Amino acid sequence: MMSEEIIHITETLLQRNRLFLKYYQEARETGITRDFHVVIKPFADEVKAITDDWKGIMKKWFADNSLKHIHLKQIDMTAEHMEQLSIQCFFSNTSKKRFLDTNRTVEFLLQEILKEVRKSKRDA
């Protein structure tokens, strides 16, 4: 049952990570910075809440399962990246290379987690 929860919440994070990219591209194209209290903070708070839940679930999962290519440290790093991206995506002056690299790193790790969890679910 926990694997279903991990799949669901990891897919939610993937959707948010793709939204970061969309918002970042909009910010760069328009040069418009959204209102901090109306748009940015509520969005970042929502992402943080989901990310904190995900981190907790992943740590429980790691206690009972080991993932070949994924380490606990990467879970913390990904959570940190998610929180940074959820704010940086609204600012056109955010370093494009760093933003895109971080976004891709998050995308890759989340996809790997989905693959591993689905595989372990099939093997169970």
Side-chain angles (χ1 to χ4, degrees):
M1 198 59 219
M2 185 185 257
S3 55
E4 284 302 318
E5 197 178 354
I6 289 175
I7 290 168
H8 175 73
I9 199 163
T10 303
E11 285 174 341
T12 303
L13 289 183
L14 273 169
Q15 289 166 346
R16 293 305 178 282
N17 195 47
R18 289 167 191 159
L19 258 186
F20 301 157
L21 197 55
K22 180 178 176 278
Y23 290 164
Y24 180 64
Q25 287 163 338
E26 283 171 7
R28 285 187 70 93
E29 284 163 19
T30 65
I32 295 166
T33 299
R34 305 271 177 197
D35 184 283
F36 184 78
H37 295 288
V38 175
V39 178
I40 301 172
K41 187 170 178 355
F43 181 71
D45 287 347
E46 183 223 12
V47 169
K48 183 172 176 17
I50 297 167
T51 303
D52 287 348
D53 286 349
W54 175 78
K55 213 163 70 168
I57 290 166
M58 289 307 297
K59 287 185 176 179
K60 276 187 218 143
W61 169 264
F62 266 93
D64 303 323
N65 304 272
S66 68
L67 299 176
K68 260 185 221 125
H69 310 292
I70 300 161
H71 308 286
L72 208 47
K73 203 174 110 194
Q74 290 172 290
I75 301 300
D76 290 330
M77 277 306 298
T78 300
E80 218 171 278
H81 288 330
M82 289 291 294
E83 289 172 33
Q84 290 165 358
L85 291 170
S86 70
I87 295 169
Q88 291 172 350
C89 69
F90 290 102
F91 297 94
S92 59
N93 63 351
T94 294
S95 160
K96 185 177 181 182
K97 182 180 174 5
R98 199 176 66 210
F99 182 87
L100 295 176
D101 286 350
T102 305
N103 188 264
R104 276 193 288 265
T105 300
V106 168
E107 177 84 16
F108 177 78
L109 188 85
L110 294 175
Q111 292 286 9
E112 285 301 300
I113 287 170
L114 285 177
K115 264 188 248 167
E116 293 276 340
V117 172
R118 286 182 175 129
K119 185 181 174 307
S120 69
K121 203 177 122 181
R122 278 195 309 270
D123 296 347

